[in-house]
mmCIF file of all heavy atoms in Angstrom:
data_model
loop_
_atom_site.group_PDB
_atom_site.id
_atom_site.type_symbol
_atom_site.label_atom_id
_atom_site.label_comp_id
_atom_site.label_asym_id
_atom_site.label_seq_id
_atom_site.Cartn_x
_atom_site.Cartn_y
_atom_site.Cartn_z
ATOM 1 N N ASN H 26 0.830 -1.215 0.004
ATOM 2 C CA ASN H 26 -0.011 0.008 -0.005
ATOM 3 C C ASN H 26 0.852 1.263 0.009
ATOM 4 O O ASN H 26 0.563 2.238 0.705
ATOM 5 C CB ASN H 26 -0.926 0.013 1.205
ATOM 6 C CG ASN H 26 -2.085 -0.960 1.083
ATOM 7 O OD1 ASN H 26 -2.369 -1.459 0.002
ATOM 8 N ND2 ASN H 26 -2.772 -1.200 2.184
ATOM 9 N N THR H 27 1.884 1.264 -0.812
ATOM 10 C CA THR H 27 2.887 2.344 -0.774
ATOM 11 C C THR H 27 3.172 2.867 -2.172
ATOM 12 O O THR H 27 3.335 2.074 -3.107
ATOM 13 C CB THR H 27 4.178 1.889 -0.090
ATOM 14 O OG1 THR H 27 3.864 1.388 1.195
ATOM 15 C CG2 THR H 27 5.165 3.012 0.010
ATOM 16 N N VAL H 28 3.290 4.183 -2.279
ATOM 17 C CA VAL H 28 3.763 4.854 -3.464
ATOM 18 C C VAL H 28 5.077 5.555 -3.116
ATOM 19 O O VAL H 28 5.211 6.125 -2.043
ATOM 20 C CB VAL H 28 2.738 5.884 -3.985
ATOM 21 C CG1 VAL H 28 3.314 6.694 -5.145
ATOM 22 C CG2 VAL H 28 1.449 5.198 -4.404
ATOM 23 N N TYR H 29 6.024 5.486 -4.055
ATOM 24 C CA TYR H 29 7.347 6.062 -3.805
ATOM 25 C C TYR H 29 7.621 7.173 -4.824
ATOM 26 O O TYR H 29 7.089 7.175 -5.914
ATOM 27 C CB TYR H 29 8.424 4.983 -3.959
ATOM 28 C CG TYR H 29 8.247 3.776 -3.076
ATOM 29 C CD1 TYR H 29 7.645 2.631 -3.559
ATOM 30 C CD2 TYR H 29 8.682 3.819 -1.749
ATOM 31 C CE1 TYR H 29 7.477 1.523 -2.740
ATOM 32 C CE2 TYR H 29 8.533 2.712 -0.921
ATOM 33 C CZ TYR H 29 7.913 1.581 -1.424
ATOM 34 O OH TYR H 29 7.755 0.477 -0.594
ATOM 35 N N LEU H 30 8.523 8.053 -4.426
ATOM 36 C CA LEU H 30 9.076 9.061 -5.351
ATOM 37 C C LEU H 30 10.577 9.087 -5.134
ATOM 38 O O LEU H 30 11.043 9.572 -4.138
ATOM 39 C CB LEU H 30 8.445 10.442 -5.116
ATOM 40 C CG LEU H 30 8.905 11.493 -6.134
ATOM 41 C CD1 LEU H 30 8.356 11.191 -7.526
ATOM 42 C CD2 LEU H 30 8.484 12.905 -5.699
ATOM 43 N N GLN H 31 11.284 8.527 -6.091
ATOM 44 C CA GLN H 31 12.746 8.558 -6.057
ATOM 45 C C GLN H 31 13.202 9.847 -6.748
ATOM 46 O O GLN H 31 12.872 10.078 -7.902
ATOM 47 C CB GLN H 31 13.323 7.356 -6.786
ATOM 48 C CG GLN H 31 14.844 7.334 -6.852
ATOM 49 C CD GLN H 31 15.494 7.178 -5.488
ATOM 50 O OE1 GLN H 31 15.074 6.348 -4.699
ATOM 51 N NE2 GLN H 31 16.525 7.979 -5.221
ATOM 52 N N MET H 32 13.950 10.670 -6.018
ATOM 53 C CA MET H 32 14.370 11.969 -6.517
ATOM 54 C C MET H 32 15.877 11.967 -6.608
ATOM 55 O O MET H 32 16.578 11.850 -5.590
ATOM 56 C CB MET H 32 13.882 13.066 -5.604
ATOM 57 C CG MET H 32 12.364 13.056 -5.379
ATOM 58 S SD MET H 32 11.779 14.447 -4.405
ATOM 59 C CE MET H 32 12.540 14.128 -2.851
ATOM 60 N N ASN H 33 16.403 12.089 -7.798
ATOM 61 C CA ASN H 33 17.834 12.154 -8.053
ATOM 62 C C ASN H 33 18.220 13.516 -8.628
ATOM 63 O O ASN H 33 17.380 14.265 -9.107
ATOM 64 C CB ASN H 33 18.253 11.050 -9.014
ATOM 65 C CG ASN H 33 17.960 9.666 -8.495
ATOM 66 O OD1 ASN H 33 18.022 9.412 -7.289
ATOM 67 N ND2 ASN H 33 17.667 8.754 -9.389
ATOM 68 N N SER H 34 19.514 13.804 -8.577
ATOM 69 C CA SER H 34 20.040 15.077 -9.125
ATOM 70 C C SER H 34 19.249 16.244 -8.631
ATOM 71 O O SER H 34 18.823 17.117 -9.414
ATOM 72 C CB SER H 34 20.035 15.024 -10.655
ATOM 73 O OG SER H 34 20.794 13.926 -11.125
ATOM 74 N N LEU H 35 19.023 16.302 -7.345
ATOM 75 C CA LEU H 35 18.183 17.347 -6.768
ATOM 76 C C LEU H 35 18.797 18.716 -6.927
ATOM 77 O O LEU H 35 20.022 18.888 -6.898
ATOM 78 C CB LEU H 35 17.911 17.048 -5.303
ATOM 79 C CG LEU H 35 16.846 15.964 -5.057
ATOM 80 C CD1 LEU H 35 16.955 15.403 -3.664
ATOM 81 C CD2 LEU H 35 15.455 16.526 -5.315
ATOM 82 N N LYS H 36 17.931 19.692 -7.133
ATOM 83 C CA LYS H 36 18.318 21.085 -7.317
ATOM 84 C C LYS H 36 17.692 21.953 -6.217
ATOM 85 O O LYS H 36 16.647 21.581 -5.659
ATOM 86 C CB LYS H 36 17.826 21.576 -8.671
ATOM 87 C CG LYS H 36 18.273 20.735 -9.846
ATOM 88 C CD LYS H 36 17.641 21.255 -11.137
ATOM 89 C CE LYS H 36 18.045 20.413 -12.332
ATOM 90 N NZ LYS H 36 17.415 20.895 -13.586
ATOM 91 N N PRO H 37 18.280 23.100 -5.922
ATOM 92 C CA PRO H 37 17.675 23.982 -4.923
ATOM 93 C C PRO H 37 16.215 24.318 -5.244
ATOM 94 O O PRO H 37 15.384 24.467 -4.313
ATOM 95 C CB PRO H 37 18.568 25.217 -4.961
ATOM 96 C CG PRO H 37 19.904 24.677 -5.369
ATOM 97 C CD PRO H 37 19.598 23.582 -6.329
ATOM 98 N N GLU H 38 15.872 24.423 -6.498
ATOM 99 C CA GLU H 38 14.508 24.754 -6.865
ATOM 100 C C GLU H 38 13.526 23.610 -6.621
ATOM 101 O O GLU H 38 12.311 23.781 -6.786
ATOM 102 C CB GLU H 38 14.419 25.213 -8.321
ATOM 103 C CG GLU H 38 15.075 24.310 -9.341
ATOM 104 C CD GLU H 38 16.496 24.732 -9.681
ATOM 105 O OE1 GLU H 38 17.263 25.102 -8.752
ATOM 106 O OE2 GLU H 38 16.825 24.651 -10.880
ATOM 107 N N ASP H 39 14.013 22.439 -6.251
ATOM 108 C CA ASP H 39 13.142 21.355 -5.838
ATOM 109 C C ASP H 39 12.676 21.478 -4.388
ATOM 110 O O ASP H 39 11.835 20.709 -3.926
ATOM 111 C CB ASP H 39 13.834 19.997 -6.006
ATOM 112 C CG ASP H 39 14.150 19.663 -7.449
ATOM 113 O OD1 ASP H 39 13.282 19.902 -8.316
ATOM 114 O OD2 ASP H 39 15.257 19.173 -7.717
ATOM 115 N N THR H 40 13.218 22.442 -3.687
ATOM 116 C CA THR H 40 12.846 22.664 -2.285
ATOM 117 C C THR H 40 11.351 22.994 -2.178
ATOM 118 O O THR H 40 10.884 23.912 -2.845
ATOM 119 C CB THR H 40 13.664 23.799 -1.678
ATOM 120 O OG1 THR H 40 15.042 23.407 -1.624
ATOM 121 C CG2 THR H 40 13.195 24.131 -0.266
ATOM 122 N N ALA H 41 10.645 22.236 -1.365
ATOM 123 C CA ALA H 41 9.194 22.428 -1.209
ATOM 124 C C ALA H 41 8.668 21.417 -0.198
ATOM 125 O O ALA H 41 9.391 20.525 0.220
ATOM 126 C CB ALA H 41 8.483 22.210 -2.554
ATOM 127 N N VAL H 42 7.416 21.596 0.176
ATOM 128 C CA VAL H 42 6.706 20.525 0.885
ATOM 129 C C VAL H 42 6.109 19.609 -0.171
ATOM 130 O O VAL H 42 5.435 20.087 -1.092
ATOM 131 C CB VAL H 42 5.593 21.118 1.809
ATOM 132 C CG1 VAL H 42 4.836 19.967 2.459
ATOM 133 C CG2 VAL H 42 6.190 22.038 2.842
ATOM 134 N N TYR H 43 6.369 18.336 -0.039
ATOM 135 C CA TYR H 43 5.899 17.346 -1.009
ATOM 136 C C TYR H 43 4.663 16.619 -0.421
ATOM 137 O O TYR H 43 4.739 16.125 0.730
ATOM 138 C CB TYR H 43 6.988 16.372 -1.353
ATOM 139 C CG TYR H 43 7.980 16.949 -2.329
ATOM 140 C CD1 TYR H 43 8.861 17.952 -1.938
ATOM 141 C CD2 TYR H 43 8.044 16.494 -3.649
ATOM 142 C CE1 TYR H 43 9.759 18.502 -2.829
ATOM 143 C CE2 TYR H 43 8.951 17.058 -4.560
ATOM 144 C CZ TYR H 43 9.786 18.087 -4.136
ATOM 145 O OH TYR H 43 10.682 18.626 -5.021
ATOM 146 N N TYR H 44 3.629 16.548 -1.218
ATOM 147 C CA TYR H 44 2.373 15.942 -0.801
ATOM 148 C C TYR H 44 2.075 14.711 -1.651
ATOM 149 O O TYR H 44 2.155 14.754 -2.882
ATOM 150 C CB TYR H 44 1.231 16.915 -0.942
ATOM 151 C CG TYR H 44 1.329 18.131 -0.039
ATOM 152 C CD1 TYR H 44 1.950 19.289 -0.471
ATOM 153 C CD2 TYR H 44 0.758 18.105 1.235
ATOM 154 C CE1 TYR H 44 2.041 20.412 0.344
ATOM 155 C CE2 TYR H 44 0.838 19.221 2.072
ATOM 156 C CZ TYR H 44 1.483 20.347 1.608
ATOM 157 O OH TYR H 44 1.574 21.461 2.431
ATOM 158 N N CYS H 45 1.674 13.658 -0.977
ATOM 159 C CA CYS H 45 1.143 12.487 -1.640
ATOM 160 C C CYS H 45 -0.353 12.651 -1.849
ATOM 161 O O CYS H 45 -1.039 13.259 -1.020
ATOM 162 C CB CYS H 45 1.412 11.259 -0.755
ATOM 163 S SG CYS H 45 0.765 9.714 -1.405
ATOM 164 N N ALA H 46 -0.860 12.148 -2.974
ATOM 165 C CA ALA H 46 -2.279 12.291 -3.284
ATOM 166 C C ALA H 46 -2.786 11.000 -3.914
ATOM 167 O O ALA H 46 -1.999 10.208 -4.475
ATOM 168 C CB ALA H 46 -2.505 13.459 -4.229
ATOM 169 N N ALA H 47 -4.093 10.790 -3.836
ATOM 170 C CA ALA H 47 -4.699 9.616 -4.449
ATOM 171 C C ALA H 47 -6.066 9.972 -4.980
ATOM 172 O O ALA H 47 -6.718 10.912 -4.523
ATOM 173 C CB ALA H 47 -4.818 8.485 -3.419
ATOM 174 N N ARG H 48 -6.506 9.233 -5.982
ATOM 175 C CA ARG H 48 -7.815 9.446 -6.614
ATOM 176 C C ARG H 48 -8.300 8.127 -7.191
ATOM 177 O O ARG H 48 -7.477 7.244 -7.527
ATOM 178 C CB ARG H 48 -7.680 10.484 -7.725
ATOM 179 C CG ARG H 48 -6.756 10.009 -8.838
ATOM 180 C CD ARG H 48 -6.663 11.003 -9.988
ATOM 181 N NE ARG H 48 -5.793 10.488 -11.037
ATOM 182 C CZ ARG H 48 -6.210 9.692 -12.014
ATOM 183 N NH1 ARG H 48 -7.467 9.364 -12.127
ATOM 184 N NH2 ARG H 48 -5.361 9.283 -12.934
ATOM 185 N N PRO H 49 -9.583 7.949 -7.343
ATOM 186 C CA PRO H 49 -10.067 6.769 -8.052
ATOM 187 C C PRO H 49 -9.459 6.734 -9.456
ATOM 188 O O PRO H 49 -9.307 7.792 -10.106
ATOM 189 C CB PRO H 49 -11.587 6.969 -8.081
ATOM 190 C CG PRO H 49 -11.849 7.828 -6.923
ATOM 191 C CD PRO H 49 -10.673 8.783 -6.838
ATOM 192 N N GLN H 50 -9.077 5.601 -9.922
ATOM 193 C CA GLN H 50 -8.396 5.485 -11.205
ATOM 194 C C GLN H 50 -9.206 6.047 -12.356
ATOM 195 O O GLN H 50 -8.638 6.714 -13.246
ATOM 196 C CB GLN H 50 -8.041 4.018 -11.488
ATOM 197 C CG GLN H 50 -7.425 3.816 -12.857
ATOM 198 C CD GLN H 50 -6.101 4.512 -13.003
ATOM 199 O OE1 GLN H 50 -5.177 4.286 -12.212
ATOM 200 N NE2 GLN H 50 -5.958 5.369 -14.002
ATOM 201 N N PHE H 51 -10.484 5.783 -12.377
ATOM 202 C CA PHE H 51 -11.319 6.213 -13.507
ATOM 203 C C PHE H 51 -12.188 7.379 -13.124
ATOM 204 O O PHE H 51 -12.547 7.561 -11.958
ATOM 205 C CB PHE H 51 -12.164 5.044 -13.998
ATOM 206 C CG PHE H 51 -11.354 3.877 -14.447
ATOM 207 C CD1 PHE H 51 -11.187 2.766 -13.636
ATOM 208 C CD2 PHE H 51 -10.695 3.906 -15.666
ATOM 209 C CE1 PHE H 51 -10.415 1.687 -14.035
ATOM 210 C CE2 PHE H 51 -9.910 2.833 -16.079
ATOM 211 C CZ PHE H 51 -9.777 1.743 -15.265
ATOM 212 N N PRO H 52 -12.605 8.238 -14.057
ATOM 213 C CA PRO H 52 -12.413 8.080 -15.516
ATOM 214 C C PRO H 52 -11.214 8.778 -16.090
ATOM 215 O O PRO H 52 -10.925 8.625 -17.288
ATOM 216 C CB PRO H 52 -13.681 8.721 -16.065
ATOM 217 C CG PRO H 52 -13.946 9.850 -15.103
ATOM 218 C CD PRO H 52 -13.516 9.336 -13.745
ATOM 219 N N LEU H 53 -10.448 9.517 -15.279
ATOM 220 C CA LEU H 53 -9.382 10.338 -15.804
ATOM 221 C C LEU H 53 -8.129 9.489 -16.027
ATOM 222 O O LEU H 53 -7.668 8.798 -15.107
ATOM 223 C CB LEU H 53 -9.110 11.470 -14.852
ATOM 224 C CG LEU H 53 -8.400 12.722 -15.380
ATOM 225 C CD1 LEU H 53 -9.171 13.322 -16.535
ATOM 226 C CD2 LEU H 53 -8.219 13.734 -14.285
ATOM 227 N N ALA H 54 -7.550 9.584 -17.190
ATOM 228 C CA ALA H 54 -6.315 8.866 -17.484
ATOM 229 C C ALA H 54 -5.133 9.466 -16.725
ATOM 230 O O ALA H 54 -5.154 10.669 -16.397
ATOM 231 C CB ALA H 54 -6.017 8.910 -18.987
ATOM 232 N N THR H 55 -4.142 8.657 -16.446
ATOM 233 C CA THR H 55 -3.001 9.091 -15.645
ATOM 234 C C THR H 55 -2.334 10.331 -16.235
ATOM 235 O O THR H 55 -2.005 11.281 -15.524
ATOM 236 C CB THR H 55 -1.976 7.952 -15.551
ATOM 237 O OG1 THR H 55 -2.620 6.806 -14.951
ATOM 238 C CG2 THR H 55 -0.779 8.348 -14.729
ATOM 239 N N GLU H 56 -2.150 10.345 -17.536
ATOM 240 C CA GLU H 56 -1.461 11.443 -18.175
ATOM 241 C C GLU H 56 -2.224 12.779 -18.054
ATOM 242 O O GLU H 56 -1.627 13.865 -18.104
ATOM 243 C CB GLU H 56 -1.233 11.123 -19.654
ATOM 244 C CG GLU H 56 -0.557 12.185 -20.476
ATOM 245 C CD GLU H 56 0.860 12.501 -19.960
ATOM 246 O OE1 GLU H 56 1.519 11.595 -19.425
ATOM 247 O OE2 GLU H 56 1.270 13.654 -20.103
ATOM 248 N N ARG H 57 -3.545 12.699 -17.860
ATOM 249 C CA ARG H 57 -4.367 13.918 -17.849
ATOM 250 C C ARG H 57 -4.633 14.418 -16.424
ATOM 251 O O ARG H 57 -5.104 15.539 -16.254
ATOM 252 C CB ARG H 57 -5.683 13.667 -18.565
ATOM 253 C CG ARG H 57 -5.486 13.299 -20.023
ATOM 254 C CD ARG H 57 -6.807 13.224 -20.755
ATOM 255 N NE ARG H 57 -7.446 14.529 -20.818
ATOM 256 C CZ ARG H 57 -8.614 14.755 -21.395
ATOM 257 N NH1 ARG H 57 -9.269 13.745 -21.947
ATOM 258 N NH2 ARG H 57 -9.109 15.955 -21.414
ATOM 259 N N ALA H 58 -4.350 13.618 -15.419
ATOM 260 C CA ALA H 58 -4.632 14.031 -14.020
ATOM 261 C C ALA H 58 -3.436 14.801 -13.506
ATOM 262 O O ALA H 58 -2.499 14.200 -12.934
ATOM 263 C CB ALA H 58 -4.911 12.802 -13.168
ATOM 264 N N ARG H 59 -3.437 16.114 -13.677
ATOM 265 C CA ARG H 59 -2.274 16.935 -13.351
ATOM 266 C C ARG H 59 -2.593 18.127 -12.491
ATOM 267 O O ARG H 59 -1.722 18.995 -12.269
ATOM 268 C CB ARG H 59 -1.572 17.403 -14.626
ATOM 269 C CG ARG H 59 -0.881 16.263 -15.392
ATOM 270 C CD ARG H 59 -0.313 16.748 -16.715
ATOM 271 N NE ARG H 59 0.448 15.673 -17.391
ATOM 272 C CZ ARG H 59 1.754 15.590 -17.343
ATOM 273 N NH1 ARG H 59 2.464 16.469 -16.705
ATOM 274 N NH2 ARG H 59 2.387 14.584 -17.974
ATOM 275 N N THR H 60 -3.778 18.257 -11.968
ATOM 276 C CA THR H 60 -4.112 19.352 -11.087
ATOM 277 C C THR H 60 -4.542 18.835 -9.722
ATOM 278 O O THR H 60 -5.007 17.689 -9.599
ATOM 279 C CB THR H 60 -5.218 20.232 -11.660
ATOM 280 O OG1 THR H 60 -6.467 19.511 -11.593
ATOM 281 C CG2 THR H 60 -4.963 20.620 -13.103
ATOM 282 N N ALA H 61 -4.403 19.685 -8.698
ATOM 283 C CA ALA H 61 -4.781 19.298 -7.357
ATOM 284 C C ALA H 61 -6.258 18.922 -7.287
ATOM 285 O O ALA H 61 -6.667 18.054 -6.536
ATOM 286 C CB ALA H 61 -4.445 20.402 -6.361
ATOM 287 N N ALA H 62 -7.069 19.570 -8.118
ATOM 288 C CA ALA H 62 -8.494 19.324 -8.101
ATOM 289 C C ALA H 62 -8.843 17.899 -8.591
ATOM 290 O O ALA H 62 -9.937 17.397 -8.314
ATOM 291 C CB ALA H 62 -9.225 20.359 -8.970
ATOM 292 N N ASP H 63 -7.918 17.282 -9.319
ATOM 293 C CA ASP H 63 -8.163 15.913 -9.806
ATOM 294 C C ASP H 63 -8.025 14.881 -8.712
ATOM 295 O O ASP H 63 -8.413 13.730 -8.922
ATOM 296 C CB ASP H 63 -7.173 15.607 -10.929
ATOM 297 C CG ASP H 63 -7.404 16.452 -12.169
ATOM 298 O OD1 ASP H 63 -8.553 16.799 -12.460
ATOM 299 O OD2 ASP H 63 -6.407 16.793 -12.846
#
């Protein structure tokens, strides 16, 4: 029950609070789900 984010070659501009999110798989395709509202 785990999702990972491997982050390499980190840059100062990557500094932030990182949030994990989840949504029902359908109907939105993975490539199109790119906003917080999704």
Side-chain angles (χ1 to χ4, degrees):
N26 286 347
T27 303
V28 174
Y29 303 98
L30 184 68
Q31 177 67 45
M32 305 185 294
N33 299 327
S34 302
L35 283 161
K36 305 175 181 180
E38 51 264 44
D39 294 318
T40 294
V42 177
Y43 282 70
Y44 295 91
C45 178
R48 62 177 182 88
Q50 175 64 57
F51 301 102
L53 200 58
T55 301
E56 179 61 32
R57 299 188 65 181
R59 290 174 175 262
T60 71
D63 294 326

